Amino acid sequence: MTRPATTRGPSPPVVVATRPVFLDDSGRRWRRFRLVVLAVVVVLLALTAVVAPHVWASPALQVSGEQLAPPVTSADTGLQAPLVGGGPLVRVLEVRREQGVASGWDPFTRRLVVPSFPAADSRAIGSSRYVIQRYGYSAVATRTISLTFDDGPDPVWTPKLLDLLSQNKVPATFFTTGTMIAKYPELFRREVREGHAVANHTLTHLDVSSASATRARLEMVVSDRIIRAVTGTEAAYFRLPYEGNDVASTQATVDGILRAQRFGYVVASHDFDTDDWAYAAGQEKGAIPLPPLDGRNVTVLLHDGGGHGRKMTVDYVRRLIPWAKAQGYTFHTMPQVQPDLAERVTRVRPTVWDQLTLRGVQALYVWPDLLLRALFLFAVVSVVAINLVNTGLAVRRHRCRRRQWWPEAGDMSLPVSVLLAAYNEEKVIARTLRTVLASDFPLLDVVVVDDGSSDGTADVVRSIARDDARVVLVQQPNRGKARALNAGLSRVRGRYVVTLDADTVLTPTTVTRLVRHFALDHTGQLAAVAGVVAVGNRERNLLTRWQALEYLTQIGIDRAAQDELGAITIVPGACAAWRKEAIESVGGYTDVTLAEDCDLSLSLHRCGWRVTQDDEALAFTEAPDTVDALLAQRTRWVFGTLQSIWKHRDLVMRRGSGPLGWYVLPAYVASIVVPLLFLPFATVMAVYAAQRQGIGIVLVFFLLFMLVHLAVAGVAVLLMGERPVHLLVVPVYRVVQEPLRAYLLHTCVLMAIRGVRGGWHKLARTGAVDTAVVSVVAGTPPEPARAGRRGA
């Protein structure tokens, strides 16, 4: 079924270019680009130099007016410093002795903290220079219980806990991580608004005892600034991740305690650890134990974020509150019963540095997650949706083509010539010409333009021409493929020209199936017919099998969909039939791009000509079988396509440009922009997501797109009558395709910015097209015995 032709009206002028697209021999573009990049780097460094000292300064020290003291580490205190006292706060003190009395001094402020230790503590301290002291409760606090929650706020469990605490009028203390605050600032504000205490639990839940001193400082200071920016509160106390309340655990965290003290923070701990995280993870069985309420004050450690869900924690709090109240206990925040914490909580006006810190953390930890989701949705739309739309269009076209009536071969007495441009094709040109001459369509002539070959290409052509008068050899100095084709175009006798690459292997019916479309074109608008190019050396290795699937999918689905829309963008020079008049009307082949076939196709569309594709016009080519050869070929293809699209960019979304300008070309642009801008970021985010959420989330993405590609490739196999064995390569295709395309696009865009002249990087032919493969796909032996002389 063919769509009715429309009369060509006024068309936009052909874009005339006299020099290669993107070429900049002067180098000015590249110099300007480097200057811009340098300027951006300098500005960023300058901003960092201005902002970093302010962000780096500890807000806790700024509020207290203290100066940052020299560090004290476990190398000074030892890892076995004695632990004395009791309470939910912990600090390291320097021990001084005068007249037999041991006193405790802050090792950073040099202030006296404990005038004299009780006798039992003095005996435990012995001769040690440093001591770890637990302390904290107000002298008037009795039968108090403080619920503390670490690692939030969590968008699922924290609201449930807040609702439960609100219902029971129970205040609590939340030790929050900076990244979670940055993600859920409104939830964090709710904690403050409802009367709960909030404090610092590092930026990313890092073990600040074992981290580098620089990283530890960043974790504490940045999280503090985020709390200030979100709530206007300075809460200069801090709980160490992974801390414990037994002797060994506390001694192991002595470096973390010292670091927090040095930056002005009081270090909070706990009296009773519920291990709720272990019960949630299944490491502990049974019910979470209730704290021993024997009349003493108690601070309970729980978690509202992280881990395997906090349902058990919510249920535990629901059980604990009435039980503790029945024991005569009252609930308080830690600052309400611990004076040292109460005096560390102040209202502040967030500074510009606090706000910049919040935005910076959101840019690093929040926006990437949001962008990853947006990229996922965009990928679903741009990849999945476009693939499905193209597949639907290809299926619709196939059903219509099955009902297409074709004229008998005898009716197609059209004047047809074959044109080949050859450069150093000695190994393959004879085989190509033999398959051309064996065509069942009567050819006027076969013109071979030898573009300055340095091997025996011309001798091989002359040898064949002696046996068949239709073969015409044209020789010229090496001027490039476009000029060779133009030279040949002026020599062919036919009104219709079939162009081939010098390594293309045809079937006897290929030419017939290409030119039959012109026999049905009574309007004279059909300019070109694209054939189906298949990989003839597909069995060579995994790389050629991958390319075979790529050719099959792109021709069977993407180009078929474009044909259904009347918007084929590339009529391949390796196998196509052309109306000579149409090529001449747009100025012939140009050498301003490395993709002369894409440039010519878009020029034809621009002038109102029509192009189509024949799915039965088979040709076989030799695909690169090494990585280096593949990269060289694809660099030329991608760079040439970029040149062509840029040259014809005014067609994109232009009024009257139809599906070509409003769907096909924008899809091309999207396929360029997405890998350029988003794939590197998406790769980093995939690694980040795998680290945080496990490899499963990445596998889900991979499997989703692989299944879509498997479905699309399956349809392509059915439509093109190929073997399902191609589908076995789909997983490899997904692993190779996107990184390869991103690499090529970045390389080619850099080439465009630099303004270099792209090289042809001609593939060295080996004659590796497998005749057995051709026979299976085409259903007929492709290479007959040597053709005898036959007149036109």
Side-chain angles (χ1 to χ4, degrees):
M1 174 179 171
T2 56
R3 287 183 299 277
T6 56
T7 303
R8 292 200 307 273
S11 57
V14 176
V15 178
V16 178
T18 58
R19 59 200 314 262
V21 177
F22 301 137
L23 180 64
D24 180 20
D25 291 326
S26 68
R28 284 193 296 269
R29 184 192 308 142
W30 179 236
R31 288 194 294 272
R32 287 196 296 266
F33 176 77
R34 287 184 295 175
L35 285 174
V36 170
V37 171
L38 179 62
V40 171
V41 171
V42 169
V43 169
L44 290 176
L45 290 175
L47 288 174
T48 301
V50 172
V51 172
H54 295 279
V55 173
W56 192 242
S58 170
L61 289 177
Q62 291 176 323
V63 169
S64 64
E66 300 287 350
Q67 297 297 316
L68 183 65
V72 177
T73 69
S74 58
D76 304 302
T77 67
L79 292 173
Q80 303 297 323
L83 177 64
V84 300
L89 307 182
V90 61
R91 61 191 172 194
V92 177
L93 298 175
E94 182 184 353
V95 179
R96 299 181 186 177
R97 295 174 180 82
E98 293 183 10
Q99 299 178 353
V101 177
S103 56
W105 296 72
D106 188 296
F108 301 104
T109 65
R110 301 299 178 183
R111 292 177 181 172
L112 177 64
V113 176
V114 180
S116 63
F117 288 100
D121 290 351
S122 293
R123 287 192 296 272
I125 294 170
S127 61
S128 177
R129 288 186 55 213
Y130 290 89
V131 63
I132 303 173
Q133 183 192 38
R134 286 191 168 276
Y135 69 106
Y137 288 113
S138 166
V140 297
T142 57
R143 302 181 76 84
T144 67
I145 182 169
S146 297
L147 299 181
T148 67
F149 299 94
D150 286 5
D151 302 349
D154 180 271
V156 176
W157 301 108
T158 301
K160 296 181 185 297
L161 280 168
L162 290 174
D163 291 342
L164 178 59
L165 296 173
S166 177
Q167 291 167 10
N168 290 274
K169 295 182 173 53
V170 170
T173 305
F174 290 88
F175 290 92
T176 52
T177 60
T179 53
M180 296 302 286
I181 302 171
K183 287 181 180 180
Y184 309 107
E186 286 304 321
L187 188 53
F188 187 64
R189 291 189 187 99
R190 179 185 170 186
E191 292 175 348
V192 175
R193 189 169 59 249
E194 295 184 1
H196 303 289
V198 294
N200 191 340
H201 195 46
T202 72
L203 176 66
T204 65
H205 203 267
L206 181 77
D207 184 354
V208 296
S209 300
S210 60
S212 67
T214 301
R215 178 68 187 277
R217 177 175 182 173
L218 181 145
E219 289 280 329
M220 289 183 281
V221 169
V222 169
S223 185
D224 191 356
R225 289 199 177 277
I226 291 172
I227 293 173
R228 292 162 58 97
V230 173
T231 65
T233 300
E234 171 61 40
Y237 60 102
F238 172 81
R239 176 176 277 171
L240 297 165
Y242 310 108
E243 58 94 22
N245 63 342
D246 60 279
V247 175
S249 298
T250 305
Q251 289 174 334
T253 59
V254 65
D255 277 307
I257 297 170
L258 286 165
R259 287 168 172 174
Q261 285 182 230
R262 181 176 178 236
F263 296 120
Y265 299 104
V266 175
V267 180
S269 183
H270 59 279
D271 300 314
F272 181 75
D273 190 348
T274 62
D275 287 326
D276 59 335
W277 63 271
Y279 286 89
Q283 298 180 21
E284 297 287 346
K285 306 299 181 182
I288 302 174
L290 294 167
L293 300 184
D294 53 7
R296 291 177 294 183
N297 300 305
V298 62
T299 299
V300 181
L301 173 60
L302 294 155
H303 296 80
D304 66 323
H308 295 74
R310 295 291 171 241
K311 182 179 185 306
M312 293 187 71
T313 301
V314 175
D315 294 339
Y316 176 82
V317 172
R318 185 176 288 110
R319 179 164 55 102
L320 172 61
I321 291 174
W323 180 76
K325 288 182 176 180
Q327 304 297 314
Y329 273 74
T330 56
F331 288 87
H332 300 272
T333 65
M334 290 186 71
Q336 286 175 331
V337 292
Q338 293 155 32
D340 272 34
L341 297 188
E343 66 184 26
R344 308 293 292 181
V345 180
T346 56
R347 294 291 299 170
V348 296
R349 181 185 295 276
T351 66
V352 64
W353 315 116
D354 299 331
Q355 298 292 350
L356 283 174
T357 302
L358 173 62
R359 302 307 174 203
V361 169
Q362 288 176 331
L364 288 174
Y365 293 95
V366 181
W367 299 345
D369 286 344
L370 297 175
L371 186 55
L372 186 61
R373 294 190 186 97
L375 285 176
F376 175 75
L377 293 175
F378 184 79
V380 169
V381 172
S382 65
V383 177
V384 178
I386 289 177
N387 268 292
L388 294 179
V389 169
N390 285 350
T391 302
L393 290 169
V395 170
R396 175 184 170 188
R397 170 184 175 276
H398 181 75
R399 295 168 107 180
C400 293
R401 288 295 175 95
R402 283 192 306 176
R403 298 190 293 270
Q404 175 76 47
W405 172 83
W406 296 111
E408 296 295 330
D411 295 335
M412 294 187 293
S413 55
L414 301 177
V416 176
S417 297
V418 173
L419 173 60
L420 297 87
Y423 175 72
N424 289 346
E425 305 286 4
E426 179 182 6
K427 293 182 179 181
V428 296
I429 190 70
R431 181 190 59 197
T432 297
L433 289 176
R434 286 197 294 270
T435 63
V436 171
L437 296 172
S439 173
D440 60 12
F441 193 95
L443 302 172
L444 288 178
D445 51 7
V446 179
V447 176
V448 180
V449 182
D450 179 16
D451 188 37
S453 296
S454 58
D455 65 358
T457 298
D459 294 334
V460 174
V461 176
R462 287 193 192 97
S463 175
I464 295 175
R466 283 194 294 269
D467 294 331
D468 197 312
R470 292 174 297 171
V471 178
V472 178
L473 174 64
V474 177
Q475 289 184 282
Q476 67 174 29
N478 183 252
R479 295 175 180 172
K481 188 175 181 179
R483 295 192 182 188
L485 290 171
N486 284 332
L489 199 64
S490 66
R491 296 289 298 272
V492 297
R493 297 162 55 194
R495 291 177 54 204
Y496 304 96
V497 182
V498 173
T499 58
L500 307 171
D501 282 349
D503 71 314
T504 303
V505 173
L506 301 184
T507 72
T509 61
T510 303
V511 175
T512 301
R513 287 168 174 168
L514 285 171
V515 300
R516 63 186 177 180
H517 294 263
F518 293 109
L520 292 178
D521 177 41
H522 302 298
T523 65
Q525 288 186 304
L526 181 62
V529 181
V532 173
V533 181
V535 175
N537 59 333
R538 65 182 63 177
E539 303 297 337
R540 184 84 169 182
N541 55 34
L542 188 59
L543 197 61
T544 56
R545 290 187 179 92
W546 171 79
Q547 292 174 85
L549 177 64
E550 180 191 33
Y551 278 50
L552 176 64
T553 305
Q554 290 186 353
I555 294 173
I557 298 297
D558 295 339
R559 199 199 295 163
Q562 293 176 10
D563 189 22
E564 179 66 12
L565 297 172
I568 292 179
T569 54
I570 301 177
V571 177
C575 178
W578 308 80
R579 187 185 298 271
K580 183 179 177 182
E581 173 198 354
I583 298 177
E584 293 172 340
S585 72
V586 297
Y589 291 91
T590 67
D591 58 2
V592 298
T593 78
L594 293 181
E596 77 291 332
D597 46 7
C598 179
D599 186 11
L600 178 57
S601 302
L602 292 175
S603 294
L604 291 171
H605 281 297
R606 174 184 292 279
C607 291
W609 291 98
R610 186 169 63 86
V611 299
T612 188
Q613 172 176 298
D614 191 295
D615 295 347
E616 297 176 330
L618 295 177
F620 298 86
T621 190
E622 180 182 335
D625 57 5
T626 66
V627 173
D628 288 343
L630 177 68
L631 288 177
Q633 182 197 68
R634 295 311 170 91
T635 299
R636 172 170 58 85
W637 285 7
V638 173
F639 189 69
T641 302
L642 287 177
Q643 289 176 308
S644 299
I645 293 177
W646 181 256
K647 177 183 174 183
H648 298 277
R649 61 190 180 275
D650 62 315
L651 290 176
V652 178
M653 292 186 177
R654 194 192 65 194
R655 184 177 180 182
S657 60
L660 176 70
W662 290 92
Y663 176 72
V664 176
L665 288 180
Y668 265 119
V669 173
S671 72
I672 294 169
V673 172
V674 171
L676 275 176
L677 299 183
F678 298 138
L679 188 61
F681 176 80
T683 302
V684 172
M685 286 308 304
V687 174
Y688 176 68
Q691 291 175 339
R692 293 186 57 210
Q693 304 176 39
I695 193 66
I697 185 67
V698 179
L699 290 177
V700 168
F701 277 75
F702 176 79
L703 289 175
L704 172 64
F705 290 110
M706 189 183 74
L707 289 174
V708 171
H709 187 199
L710 184 63
V712 172
V715 174
V717 166
L718 290 174
L719 297 183
M720 302 301 290
E722 283 275 7
R723 295 178 297 163
V725 69
H726 285 286
L727 302 180
L728 296 177
V729 190
V730 168
V732 178
Y733 189 101
R734 295 311 310 167
V735 172
V736 174
Q737 172 70 9
E738 296 307 326
L740 174 64
R741 181 164 175 77
Y743 166 77
L744 292 173
L745 283 171
H746 282 87
T747 300
C748 293
V749 167
L750 185 61
M751 289 172 57
I753 295 172
R754 293 179 62 188
V756 300
R757 187 187 300 270
W760 187 258
H761 303 299
K762 180 187 176 298
L763 177 65
R765 309 295 184 183
T766 64
V769 172
D770 188 341
T771 56
V773 170
V774 177
S775 299
V776 170
V777 177
T780 181
E783 190 170 342
R786 190 176 182 84
R789 181 182 299 272
R790 192 171 85 185

